Each structure stands twice: as structure tokens, then as C-alpha cells.
């Protein structure tokens, strides 16, 4: 689902740029730190999900002394048609989204048309961070593979919020029984969707990891958020007194995790920094390969500072895997020569980013 043209106005230090990227292959963005390379990746990500991958408020994203940001793109669809996507964010106002010259009602509509996978320093959270990062990883894939997933996920979280409020407010038993029934129904379906997705993901992930790094003894498995084999309704009933005391629901899909171990030890405690980078990149590439296989959609990959912490052999293996997916890829590095040897004989288009301006080499 590649972009054929991208127009960015007043996004961070990018005043007004137009990019016509390579549809299939590597779009290599190089330039000094602070030149705007990462901001360009961030703008594409923002167009997909309506938020930044950096920790910041929307006001900081809008270029200094300007009122609003605009991102506009032409996208090629699977049947070789073209659709326009647009997004506007004002300093003090709601996000406005346009798809094919019509107003869109939610960011989910935009995300469904523009699957984007980010690879940057924050990806280490998939290994080092808490379960929330890995649930988000699983739910990204589920969103694209199962049409009902978003509704089920939203319904579960709404029921969870209401049960937690009832617990904190000391609501009577009969009201909690109602929330328990609703939560149980949504929890079981959400858990099943995640289980089904993980069953598809694990073989793909093991294959992808093996192409980047040798990890004998690798174990991958899903933890549902309550004990395996236990009935969820019975778990809620048994934990009611403790839940009342704590003021929240202790067990359920909101506590799920995706575990990655090597010889029964957490992968993060064994792998070097470079190995961790290869592992989390393998996770993301496996997601992309699975997305294509199951839906015929291909993600756009955004890779910030790919050369960092990887030797030339590892870089070459990673780039080979990326090129095999035959999708659109945006890669940043400080120096033009950083990936020249790795990108030799591959489809690549060079862009020099300097002081918020972009030119094609």
C-alpha cells in the first residue's frame, strides 16, 4: 500500500516539502542530526495513526509560530488505483481526516488503509518494557487480520472501565454480577482472537528470527492474563473481594503478555544490544510478512538509523529480508555512505535532508 507522493507542511522543522518516493524499494534519507530525517518518518507515521511516536504534545509537532500542520498523500491501492489521504491538526482544535476527498470519522479508517511499521530505538520496549508494549504489538496485527477485533477490543475495555468504577464505588453484588457477565463475554472473544493470531505469528516469527540470528532454545508463547484452563467467570468471582480492596480488576486480557525466552530465561537478559535489535526487527518483519500473506496488504516500513549497533553482515541480512518483502521502505542514516555497500544492486532512491528541506539525489 505504498505512497506515490507526500506533501508535508509545518510539521516540526519541515516547512513545506514534497516527496515522490520509490514505490517498491528503499527510500534512503540521509543528513546531519537535527536536519529533519526523523521528522519525515514521524510525519508518515502520524498520517497513519494520528499521533507521534515521540513523547510530546500535538502543539510541539506543529512548526514554531505556525497555526496548523498538514500532511497530504497519494496512495496506490492493491488494484492499481489511487486514493488521496489528508490530515490536518491545528494548535487548538480537533484532528481532521480526509480520505478520497471525503471527511473520515475516525483514525481507524486511515490506519486500515495505511499500515505502517516503525523500527527505531523505542522498539527495544518489545523486549525490555512491560506487557503493555507486547499487547500493543499483538493487537496491531489483530487489527488488520480480524475485522471484528477493534470493536471487541473497545467493548472489552469499556466493560473493564465500568467494572473498575463499580469496584471503586462499592456497588452492590447484583450490579457487579452484570459487569462480570459482560466482561466475561468480551474477554473470552478478545482472548480467542489473540490466541488465533499468535498461532499464526509464532511459526512466521521463528522463521524470520532464524534468518537474522541463531537462537537455539528460543521459546515463544502467549499468556492470556489469567491461569490457563481456568474459567474466566469463576476467576472474576473468586477474586471479587481482592478486586474490591484493590479497586480494579486483577485478571483478564488487559494483563496478557507475549513471552520470549531462550532456554527458559527471558530473552532480554541474554541478548546483546545488537542481538536485541535484530530480534525486535524480526518481530516487526514477521508481522509484515503475515499481514501480506493473510490480507494481501503490505506495510510501509519506517526505519530510523538502521546502521546503528549492527555490523555489516547483520545489516546485509536485515536489508535482504526487507527487500524480499517487495514493499515501500524509508530508511535514515547520517551519512550517504552508511548503507551504500548493503544497498548495492537493490532498488533505492536517495534523498538529502538538510535544515528541513529535502532534495532527491
Amino acid at each position: 500500500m505504498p505512497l506515490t507522493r507526500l506533501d508535508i507542511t509545518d510539521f516540526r522543522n519541515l516547512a513545506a516539502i514534497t516527496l515522490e518516493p520509490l514505490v517498491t524499494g528503499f527510500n534512503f534519507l540521509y543528513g546531519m542530526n537535527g536536519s529533519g530525517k526523523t521528522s519525515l518518518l514521524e510525519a508518515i507515521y502520524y498520517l497513519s495513526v494520528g499521533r507521534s511516536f515521540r513523547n510530546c504534545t500535538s502543539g510541539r509537532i506543529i512548526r514554531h509560530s505556525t497555526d496548523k500542520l498538514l500532511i497530504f498523500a497519494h496512495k496506490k491501492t492493491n488494484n492499481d488505483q489511487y486514493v488521496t489521504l489528508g490530515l490536518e491538526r491545528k494548535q487548538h482544535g480537533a484532528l481532521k481526516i480526509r480520505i478520497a476527498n471525503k471527511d473520515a470519522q475516525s483514525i481507524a479508517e486511515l490506519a486500515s488503509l495505511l499500515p505502517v511499521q516503525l523500527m527505531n530505538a523505542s522498539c527495544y520496549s518489545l523486549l525490555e518494557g512491560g506487557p503493555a508494549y507486547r499487547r500493543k504489538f499483538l493487537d496491531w496485527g489483530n487489527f488488520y487480520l480480524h475485522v471484528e477485533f477493534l470493536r471487541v477490543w473497545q467493548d472489552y475495555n469499556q466493560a473493564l472501565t465500568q467494572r473498575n468504577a463499580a469496584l471503586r464505588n462499592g456497588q452492590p453484588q447484583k450490579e457487579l454480577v452484570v459487569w462480570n457477565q459482560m466482561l466475561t463475554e468480551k474477554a473470552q472473544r478478545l482472548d480467542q482472537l489473540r490466541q488465533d493470531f499468535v498461532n499464526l505469528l509464532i511459526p512466521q516469527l521463528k522463521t524470520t528470527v532464524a534468518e537474522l540470528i541463531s537462537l537455539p532454545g528460543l521459546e515463544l508463547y502467549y499468556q492470556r492474563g489469567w491461569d490457563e484452563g481456568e474459567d474466566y467467570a469463576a476467576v472474576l468471582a473468586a477474586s471479587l473481594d481482592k478486586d474490591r480492596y484493590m479497586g480494579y480488576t486483577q485478571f483478564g486480557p488487559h494483563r496478557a503478555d507475549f513471552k520470549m525466552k531462550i532456554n527458559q530465561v527471558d530473552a532480554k537478559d541474554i541478548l546483546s544490544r545488537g542481538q536485541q535489535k535484530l530480534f525486535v526487527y524480526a518481530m516487526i518483519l514477521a508481522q509484515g510478512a503475515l499481514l501480506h500473506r493473510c490480507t494481501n496488504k503490505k506495510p510501509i516500513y519506517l526505519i530510523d538509523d538502521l546502521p546503528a549497533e549492527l555490523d555489516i553482515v547483520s545489516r546485509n541480512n536485515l536489508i535482504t529480508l526487507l527487500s524480499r518483502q517487495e514493499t515501500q521502505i524509508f530508511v535514515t542514516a547520517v551519512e550517504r555512505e552508511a548503507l551504500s555497500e548493503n544497498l548495492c544492486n537493490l532498488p533505492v532512491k536517495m534523498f538529502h535532508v538538510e535544515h528541513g528541506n529535502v532534495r532527491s539525489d
Side-chain angles (χ1 to χ4, degrees):
M1 316 287 279
L3 302 176
T4 58
R5 178 187 169 104
L6 182 68
D7 294 283
I8 304 170
T9 304
D10 294 329
F11 188 97
R12 293 205 185 270
N13 67 333
L14 306 175
I17 70 162
T18 296
L19 201 70
E20 294 184 351
L22 202 62
V23 171
T24 301
F26 293 84
N27 295 282
F28 184 35
L29 313 168
Y30 69 94
M32 299 298 292
N33 290 328
S35 61
K37 306 184 303 297
T38 302
S39 295
L40 205 155
L41 298 188
E42 185 183 9
I44 299 172
Y45 185 89
Y46 202 88
L47 181 62
S48 172
V49 299
R51 65 178 184 274
S52 170
F53 55 70
R54 297 172 175 175
N55 294 323
C56 61
T57 62
S58 59
R60 291 185 178 179
I61 296 173
I62 300 171
R63 195 167 68 91
H64 179 66
S65 75
T66 61
D67 177 61
K68 63 183 179 182
L69 65 84
L70 293 167
I71 309 172
F72 185 80
H74 295 263
K75 185 182 77 70
K76 189 176 182 181
T77 63
N78 283 344
N79 57 359
D80 289 331
Q81 300 297 310
Y82 292 86
V83 64
T84 57
L85 308 174
L87 181 149
E88 176 188 282
R89 168 79 77 179
K90 291 186 177 181
Q91 286 281 8
H92 306 287
L95 186 70
K96 292 185 178 179
I97 304 165
R98 301 272 289 176
I99 298 174
N101 299 316
K102 295 180 180 179
D103 290 336
Q105 299 305 309
S106 73
I107 196 67
E109 294 179 53
L110 198 54
S112 66
L113 291 171
L114 194 65
V116 165
Q117 284 281 34
L118 174 69
M119 301 181 183
N120 68 353
S122 69
C123 291
Y124 290 111
S125 297
L126 287 173
L127 280 175
E128 298 176 336
Y133 293 99
R134 292 178 287 280
R135 287 195 298 272
K136 183 179 178 181
F137 168 77
L138 297 180
D139 291 347
W140 185 94
N142 251 314
F143 172 78
Y144 289 102
L145 264 65
H146 297 118
V147 174
E148 67 173 309
F149 175 78
L150 180 61
R151 177 183 55 78
V152 172
W153 182 87
Q154 290 172 333
D155 288 348
Y156 173 79
N157 281 282
Q158 182 180 12
L160 178 65
T161 298
Q162 290 169 324
R163 184 180 191 268
N164 286 346
L167 289 168
R168 289 192 299 271
N169 295 332
Q171 295 297 322
Q173 178 78 15
K174 63 180 181 180
E175 183 167 330
L176 282 167
V177 167
V178 173
W179 295 126
N180 283 1
Q181 291 172 345
M182 183 178 296
L183 195 64
T184 297
E185 176 188 345
K186 304 304 179 184
Q188 289 172 338
R189 185 58 187 150
L190 179 56
D191 176 62
Q192 188 59 59
L193 288 172
R194 283 180 174 161
Q195 291 272 15
D196 292 345
F197 177 73
V198 168
N199 289 340
L200 291 172
L201 177 67
I202 286 178
Q204 181 69 59
L205 179 51
K206 285 185 174 180
T207 298
T208 307
V209 167
E211 295 193 67
L212 289 178
I213 182 173
S214 175
L215 293 178
L218 176 63
E219 304 169 74
L220 304 167
Y221 57 95
Y222 170 69
Q223 287 185 338
R224 67 199 312 192
W226 72 96
D227 286 345
E228 206 64 39
E230 292 284 335
D231 177 71
Y232 186 57
V235 169
L236 287 180
S239 64
L240 179 58
D241 290 342
K242 184 72 176 293
D243 287 354
R244 280 188 185 276
Y245 175 77
M246 301 294 291
Y248 62 86
T249 304
Q250 300 173 82
F251 304 104
H254 60 290
R255 304 296 295 272
D257 200 356
F258 183 57
K259 305 297 286 186
M260 297 157 283
K261 296 191 174 187
I262 300 170
N263 296 321
Q264 301 182 346
V265 179
D266 284 344
K268 66 181 176 64
D269 296 328
I270 291 179
L271 302 180
S272 69
R273 198 64 171 170
Q275 289 174 321
Q276 286 187 29
K277 185 169 188 174
L278 290 174
F279 189 90
V280 297
Y281 280 16
M283 293 176 67
I284 295 167
L285 286 168
Q287 281 259 38
L290 187 60
L291 174 70
H292 183 218
R293 194 176 86 220
C294 295
T295 70
N296 203 33
K297 293 181 179 180
K298 294 181 180 181
I300 296 172
Y301 288 108
L302 310 176
I303 310 174
D304 199 21
D305 200 11
L306 185 149
E309 299 170 328
L310 295 180
D311 57 42
I312 191 168
V313 174
S314 296
R315 292 200 302 266
N316 191 60
N317 290 339
L318 178 58
I319 286 171
T320 298
L321 267 182
L322 282 162
S323 63
R324 202 181 298 162
Q325 292 204 14
E326 297 183 337
T327 190
Q328 188 172 53
I329 304 155
F330 293 84
V331 180
T332 72
V334 173
E335 298 177 349
R336 194 181 195 279
E337 296 75 22
L339 295 173
S340 296
E341 184 174 344
N342 302 102
L343 295 173
C344 185
N345 300 320
L346 292 174
V348 60
K349 190 171 184 179
M350 297 283 187
F351 296 92
H352 185 208
V353 186
E354 187 176 22
H355 305 305
N357 297 308
V358 183
R359 62 175 175 82
S360 173
D361 284 1

